Amino acid sequence: MMAALAPLRRPGGYGPDWSTQPVSRDTLEEVHALMALGPAMVDASPTRVLFLTTDQSKARLAPYLPVAGQLRALAAPAVAIVGYDVDFAEQLVEFIPHVDGVPSCFDKPDAARRTAVRNRDLQAMYLFIAAQALGLDREVIPEFDAEGTSREFFPGQRLTAVHLCSLGFAGHLHHASETHAADQALRPPA
C-alpha cells in the first residue's frame, strides 16, 4: 500500500524549473480520469478542465496573468484551467433521477450553487493530487483574471474559470520547508 502512495509522499516544493519534457495527451487524460474518481456530493461533477499544451493556447492565457507570473506559468508544458458549469444541476437531475431527493435538493438556487462550489474545489484538489500521483509536478497559479480567462476559453458557455495550475516535469524543484510535522498537526488543542 505504501509503495502505491510513494509518488504522493515525495517532498513538496515550490516553483519548479520546468524540464522540456512534454506532458502527453494520454497522461493528461489519465489525470482527468483519476480526478473523476474522487468523491463529491451526490457524485455531482460541475467541474470542467481545459488543458493548454501549445504555445499558442498558453499565449492566449498570458493577458489574464499578472506580469510577474507569466513567464513561470507559460514555461510549463501544460496549464490546466479548472472551471465549472454554474448551471450543472439542470443536467444532474437528468443523469441521476434514481437518487431520491436530488431533484428537490437542487430546486433551491443557493443549494445548487453551494454544491457546485464545494464539488468544483474538491475536484480541483483531486486533479492536483492525480497529477502528482502520475509523477507530474504542479504549481497552482494563485492570481489570474478569472472573468477574462472565462471569456477567452469558454465563450458562450455557462462555464466559469476558478483555478489555474501549471503541470509538467520539474528540471529542478526548490524544496519548501516542512510547515507542519505530524505530531503538531495531530496534537489536541490546549
Side-chain angles (χ1 to χ4, degrees), residues 17-24 27 75-78 134-136 167-171:
D17 294 327
W18 301 109
S19 81
T20 57
Q21 180 181 352
V23 178
S24 72
T27 298
L134 294 174
L136 296 174
L167 300 168
F169 300 97

Side-chain angles (χ1 to χ4, degrees), residues 54-63 74:
T54 66
D55 290 340
Q56 297 84 354
S57 62
K58 290 185 281 183
R60 288 175 49 203
L61 179 64
L74 302 182

Side-chain angles (χ1 to χ4, degrees), residues 51-173:
F51 293 107
L52 309 180
T53 56
T54 66
D55 290 340
Q56 297 84 354
S57 62
K58 290 185 281 183
R60 288 175 49 203
L61 179 64
Y64 308 108
L65 298 173
V67 174
Q70 285 180 3
L71 289 177
R72 292 202 43 72
L74 302 182
V79 176
I81 300 175
V82 180
Y84 78 110
D85 181 346
V86 296
D87 295 319
F88 83 103
E90 292 175 7
Q91 296 170 332
L92 182 65
V93 175
E94 294 174 29
F95 292 120
I96 54 172
H98 60 281
V99 178
D100 292 334
V102 169
S104 63
C105 174
F106 294 113
D107 284 345
K108 301 175 186 81
D110 281 347
R113 187 188 64 71
R114 283 192 308 274
T115 299
V117 167
R118 181 181 308 113
N119 286 0
R120 73 161 196 223
D121 291 340
L122 280 171
Q123 290 168 327
M125 297 310 113
Y126 299 149
L127 180 92
F128 303 157
I129 292 168
Q132 186 170 347
L134 294 174
L136 296 174
D137 286 291
R138 71 269 178 275
E139 182 175 31
V140 175
I141 302 168
E143 296 179 43
F144 70 100
D145 176 354
E147 286 183 25
T149 301
S150 298
R151 280 192 310 274
E152 180 69 29
F153 291 97
F154 305 129
Q157 299 180 45
R158 305 178 312 187
L159 302 178
T160 300
V162 290
H163 298 287
L164 291 181
C165 184
S166 299
L167 300 168
F169 300 97
H172 176 73
L173 190 64

